[in-house]
Amino acid sequence: MIKISASILSADYTKLGEEIKAIERAKIPYIHIDVMDGHFVPNISIGIPTVESIRGATDLILDVHLMISNPEKYIEKFARAGADIINFHLEATDSPLEIIEQIRETGKKCGITVNPDTPVEKLFGLADKVDMILIMSVYPGFGGQEFIKSSLDKVKALSEHIRKNNLNVDIEIDGGVKIDNLRDVLDAGVNIVVVGSAIFEAEDMAAEAERFSEIFKEFEHR
Ligand code: DX5
Ligand code: ZN
């Protein structure tokens, strides 16, 4: 199944509860939560208490994207706050296997992420150990950026690696996805599509999500 993960970075924080209800009404199954520390990325966003509040407000799957240095210090805390999937950046650590193990110990799903300039081949040795690989299609730090087209080649190479090795790993893409480039993204092999500004800036989130779902159907047979 191909799914949207709604990036709440683009939500209106004065009414986060209503925004979460809107995501539920739009039948979007995942909420993508962008955690930024002002160190690994040049921006600061939300942290553990907000993840806890979101957990208290919904049963949707919380897909937490850690854009932070020293992720090992916070895995346990985000797990306890209610994350369902914990994604960390390969660039943020010299010991990815230890972090994967740490996430496994919490019982949560594990994802690993690469920035636009990191070759996807660096993840091939880890692909059989995670549930999700997240390919950044913008430089992390801000919503509403332009999609970087070369990320599609990375998705294709990863998708091929997963197919050849018969692995069961979700491929998520994050940044700049809109209706206009959605078919290219799905064609490359993505099955979880992070969408921020395109749905939060739409006049009717549910109608926009439905437009995405209609296109998903063209690719579901894979
Ligand atoms: C960027 C974040 C993304 C971003 C996606 O650092 O990781 O999740 O919010 O938003 P759009 O869809 O607006 O590019
Ligand atoms: Zn993200």
Side-chain angles (χ1 to χ4, degrees):
M1 276 283 275
I2 305 172
K3 294 169 188 149
I4 297 181
S5 190
S7 172
I8 55 137
L9 189 64
S10 298
D12 179 344
Y13 285 52
T14 63
K15 48 170 193 166
L16 195 49
E18 286 172 40
E19 298 277 53
I20 292 166
K21 291 283 169 266
I23 295 169
E24 289 178 345
R25 276 198 303 274
K27 300 195 172 62
I28 295 172
Y30 286 46
I31 299 184
H32 183 87
I33 306 179
D34 287 309
V35 178
M36 304 178 185
D37 65 352
H39 184 258
F40 181 73
V41 286
N43 197 7
I44 298 179
S45 59
I46 61 176
I48 297 152
T50 311
V51 174
E52 255 167 16
S53 304
I54 297 171
R55 177 76 292 158
T58 184
D59 290 329
L60 294 182
I61 295 166
L62 302 188
D63 166 27
V64 173
H65 177 194
L66 298 180
M67 285 164 274
I68 62 174
S69 304
N70 305 115
E72 67 284 352
K73 288 191 185 165
Y74 302 95
I75 302 293
E76 180 71 39
K77 292 188 171 77
F78 280 100
R80 259 196 256 125
D84 294 301
I85 304 165
I86 302 179
N87 260 300
F88 68 97
H89 271 261
L90 181 64
E91 301 86 0
T93 180
D94 291 328
S95 324
L97 282 171
E98 284 167 32
I99 298 184
I100 291 169
E101 185 51 34
Q102 226 188 330
I103 298 173
R104 291 276 173 237
E105 276 167 20
T106 68
K108 306 297 182 176
K109 289 204 167 173
C110 175
I112 187 159
T113 309
V114 279
N115 279 337
D117 294 339
T118 303
V120 72
E121 289 74 17
K122 286 199 172 180
L123 290 179
F124 283 5
L126 299 168
D128 62 334
K129 298 174 180 64
V130 295
D131 301 296
M132 173 190 274
I133 291 179
L134 165 53
I135 304 289
M136 290 306 300
S137 43
V138 295
Y139 289 95
F142 303 90
Q145 302 182 73
E146 187 90 4
F147 184 81
I148 298 172
K149 283 212 179 95
S150 56
S151 60
L152 292 175
D153 294 332
K154 291 164 76 172
V155 172
K156 283 179 198 156
L158 175 62
S159 175
E160 185 63 13
H161 176 81
I162 289 174
R163 197 189 53 76
K164 269 196 200 147
N165 292 279
N166 215 358
L167 304 176
N168 184 18
V169 187
D170 286 322
I171 305 182
E172 183 172 56
I173 199 156
D174 186 7
V177 179
K178 317 243 174 279
I179 287 285
D180 298 352
N181 53 23
L182 183 60
R183 283 188 179 85
D184 294 340
V185 160
L186 300 178
D187 194 45
V190 165
N191 71 307
I192 313 260
V193 186
V194 176
V195 192
S197 45
I199 51 168
F200 284 98
E201 285 168 15
E203 226 161 87
D204 180 343
M205 186 194 291
E208 191 62 14
E210 186 53 36
R211 290 175 70 199
F212 274 75
S213 296
E214 283 302 315
I215 297 176
F216 290 173
K217 283 182 198 155
E218 298 170 19
F219 293 83
E220 285 294 2
H221 57 272
R222 289 189 304 218

